[in-house]
Amino acid sequence: MRRPDTVRDLPVRWDDLVDEPSTARATLDERGIVTGWSEGARRLLGHPSAAVLGRPASRLLVGGAGPDLPGARGRLGRWAGELTLLHRDGHPLRVRLLAHHRAAAGGGAEWLLVSPLDRTAPTAGDDWLVKTSFAQGPCTMAVYDRRLLLRWANADMERAMGLTQDQMRGLRMSEIVADSRGAEAERLMRQVLDSGLPRSLRLPPAPGRPAWSTSLAPLCGDDGRPRGVILSAHDVTERYEAQRRLALLDEASLRIGSTLDIARTAQELTEVAAPGFADFAVVDLLPSVHPGGDEPPPGPVPGTVVLRRVAARSVLEGSPDVVIGLGELAVYPEHSPAAECLAAGRGVLVEVTPEAVARWAGDDPERADTTRRFGFHSTIAVPLRARGTTLGVAAFARHRRPEPFQQDDLLLAEEITSRGAVCIDNAHRYTRQRETALTLQRSLLPRQLPRHAAVETASRYLPARSRAGVGGDWFDVIPLSGARVALVVGDVVGHGVQASAAMGRLRTAVRTLADVDLPPDELLTHLDDLVAQLSAEAGGEPGADAAGGVGATCLYAVYDPVSRRCCLARAGHPPPVLTRPDGRADFLDLPGGPPLGLGSLPFESREVELEEGSLLSLYTNGLLQAPDGDVDEAVAALRAALSRPAEPLDELCQAVLATLVTGRPADDVALLMARTRALDSQVATWDLPSDPAAVARARQDAADQLLAWGLDEAVFTTELVVSELVTNAIRHAEGPITLRLIHDRSLICEVSDGSDTAPHLRRARVFDEGGRGLLLVAQLARRWGTRHTPTGKTIWAEQPLGDPAE
């Protein structure tokens, strides 16, 4: 089919096409006065314009103004109906009117009245217009019979399908379009025939094909029954692509930046782009854009660049098309898309040609080989820029979709990348601030030492006068199982954020290692490994005061108030001062040990027995740095200041600082004092045979002891805990077996045996006869655990007594 074009070259005049007098037109103001009168109006009613202009329109009505006068309709926007008007010769004339209420040119409002003069009934020429409009109209149309076979198609349908009407006649839609789109359209056609109701369908674009908005309507006979279906469709590819781009931008706004993590934000950017926009997407950032990194450079970045891969996304499972691994650095030559966009400061669209791949092969053969193997054919690279700084590059590529990127795609990629860049910059800035805040937070010493039955403690901390800021000195008091307590003092070499950060990590590590009840010498060995690792990560010499290096000293002590024995070890740290109850103060003779991080010599511990009321004073070397540099005098002054053990510890701390420190110290000073207590009268111990019959006796002994201590309410729970722990020791361990109760602020039940195998919780099945003991203990006790001893292990469970807040 072909549209006639015989009139294309003929001159066209407006007057030839539009017959103005064929329509009667008049305008009225809000008062009903005639303000306009056309030639068509004269032809309709015979009145010349001079006879009606400026006069009331009611004079044209039969009987004067009536309810049908449009001006009486108030604020209607449009009115349609019939009025009886007076012809000039006096006969009435029924006229069909359409009235529009509109704004007048000079302000205010007016009515526009129009009425056709002739051609209101169908004519013979109308049939030709209707037939030709279906055949040559811009809408794609086709007609199907009740069997859903095509009977007729217009010229636009022929162009859309690439087939003539004769080639399609007698075929079903699913046979003309042999994919899911044709099957879906045919399914809706059946619904139209069954229901007699129209349906609509949006068909997304297929590769190389447009998107369609399709309407299906029934063609009914005189009996009202559907005899066929008419299909009309419009090419909405541009609208579809616009909506897709808006949806992608909306998704980018919602998904990118859900966290303030740089890598996660970059990954969200790639996940939005692939597969919705590209087959492959990556984000490479400048090396400075990482937690703790420097401020990124402003403006474009010319020349060869080094970037770190932080995110990648592929439509292929396992991402086999990824050449650079996450976290790896890669060099991009100046002719690569990444370097080009960074140098230009804007996005670039590159067609991947064999010549371009051959050029890349000289710089990166592996990347060029991957490009050839997967068939990359179109690439977009966009610089990640936010707030005037350049963060890196976002790159998008296609190798599965046949259609290459267009200029509109470049604009979309720039918009997505712009939103992602702001989120990545937010994450980078937040990360820097967060790292600084966390470093300072970790470096803060405990505001209040925990109350403990084993010791009475007091502490002081004085920062150095150095402008470098807070140093790396720290102290801590850590409650341990069995009413024991750990005392620790440490000193990280240097000052500032790095020293404070290292101190925070060491303090956290000490608490973690203390929680597993490591002996002091083993704990320092693990801490030594950590310092060496920190130095390696910082790129400095271990244990040295070099740029990037980490060095530290530490003193760790564990005191048992039941045995009144204290085990201590130190790593390059000054020895503690022991003040006995009679006032004698001496430095404890402990093996020195190397500073942490050297890893050259083993650490040794020493165990001493302390009288109740003894005072242990732990400190950092800043306390002994006298202004005149005489360390011997400082040592003597410290011993003298600590020879007054009866004073309250807070006052004694203040007195020691007042004696040894004048003004602001040259180095940070940390001081921790602990006065020992004993729990001899609050401990009961029983040796048990490896005989199941001993369980009942152990329960009874424990109950009698609790009644003697006045802990009647704890008897029932303790009997259950004792029964489970002793039974487990008899069944699964070996002798000797010992039961011990410790009455402290809480009630501690300990069962020791000769096995070093630690138990663990497990969920017993329904028909299991065992496996519920430790689960029951865990439910009854506030906390429980296992510690290894030189002869085996001890399982302990702690029950609260009195106020649970204590």
Side-chain angles (χ1 to χ4, degrees), residues 276-300:
F277 174 68
D279 299 322
F280 180 73
V282 296
V283 172
D284 297 333
L285 299 181
L286 295 171
S288 60
V289 184
H290 66 90
D294 299 328
E295 186 71 16

Side-chain angles (χ1 to χ4, degrees), residues 69-300:
L69 184 65
R73 294 291 179 175
R75 300 181 61 184
L76 285 178
R78 187 174 62 185
W79 177 88
E82 292 186 354
L83 292 177
T84 303
L85 304 179
L86 286 174
H87 194 272
R88 182 182 182 185
D89 60 12
H91 75 271
L93 184 65
R94 196 68 176 173
V95 177
R96 180 159 51 90
L97 287 179
L98 176 63
H100 301 275
H101 197 195
R102 67 181 188 181
E110 66 178 7
W111 282 95
L112 169 65
L113 285 74
V114 294
S115 178
L117 296 183
D118 52 17
R119 295 186 297 178
T120 57
T123 65
D126 292 344
D127 293 336
W128 179 88
L129 289 174
V130 172
K131 181 178 179 180
T132 305
S133 66
F134 278 96
Q136 303 179 17
C139 180
T140 301
M141 301 182 69
V143 174
Y144 296 81
D145 60 18
R146 284 194 59 82
R147 296 174 297 170
L148 299 185
L149 302 179
L150 186 141
R151 306 310 307 166
W152 174 84
N154 71 349
D156 211 56
M157 174 63 88
E158 291 179 322
R159 285 192 296 271
M161 296 292 103
L163 299 169
T164 65
Q165 177 178 251
D166 292 338
Q167 291 171 325
M168 294 185 289
R169 184 180 288 114
L171 299 178
R172 292 160 46 190
M173 171 62 81
S174 60
E175 296 168 338
I176 300 171
V177 180
D179 57 25
S180 59
R181 303 187 306 167
E184 177 64 14
E186 188 171 293
R187 184 183 68 83
L188 291 180
M189 285 183 184
R190 294 185 183 278
Q191 293 183 8
V192 171
L193 289 176
D194 293 340
S195 65
L197 300 175
R199 292 286 188 271
S200 60
L201 174 66
R202 283 191 170 232
L203 299 174
R209 296 184 180 180
W212 294 98
S213 176
T214 305
S215 297
L216 302 168
L219 295 175
C220 300
D222 296 337
D223 57 0
R225 295 178 58 191
R227 296 186 179 181
V229 178
I230 182 169
L231 178 150
S232 62
H234 294 273
D235 184 345
V236 292
T237 304
E238 291 186 4
R239 185 193 311 171
Y240 177 86
E241 290 297 324
Q243 291 175 345
R244 185 183 64 84
R245 290 185 173 93
L246 289 176
L248 197 63
L249 289 176
D250 184 61
E251 183 182 8
S253 300
L254 294 175
R255 292 185 58 185
I256 301 176
S258 64
T259 68
L260 286 172
D261 178 80
I262 296 176
R264 180 58 197 157
T265 304
Q267 187 63 34
E268 289 169 346
L269 171 56
T270 61
E271 290 174 355
V272 167
F277 174 68
D279 299 322
F280 180 73
V282 296
V283 172
D284 297 333
L285 299 181
L286 295 171
S288 60
V289 184
H290 66 90
D294 299 328
E295 186 71 16

Side-chain angles (χ1 to χ4, degrees), residues 356-378:
V357 176
R359 188 180 183 188
W360 297 344
D363 301 304
D364 195 334
E366 184 180 3
R367 195 181 308 174
D369 179 67
T370 301
T371 300
R372 295 192 191 97
R373 184 155 45 94
F374 288 95
F376 286 92
H377 60 83
S378 187

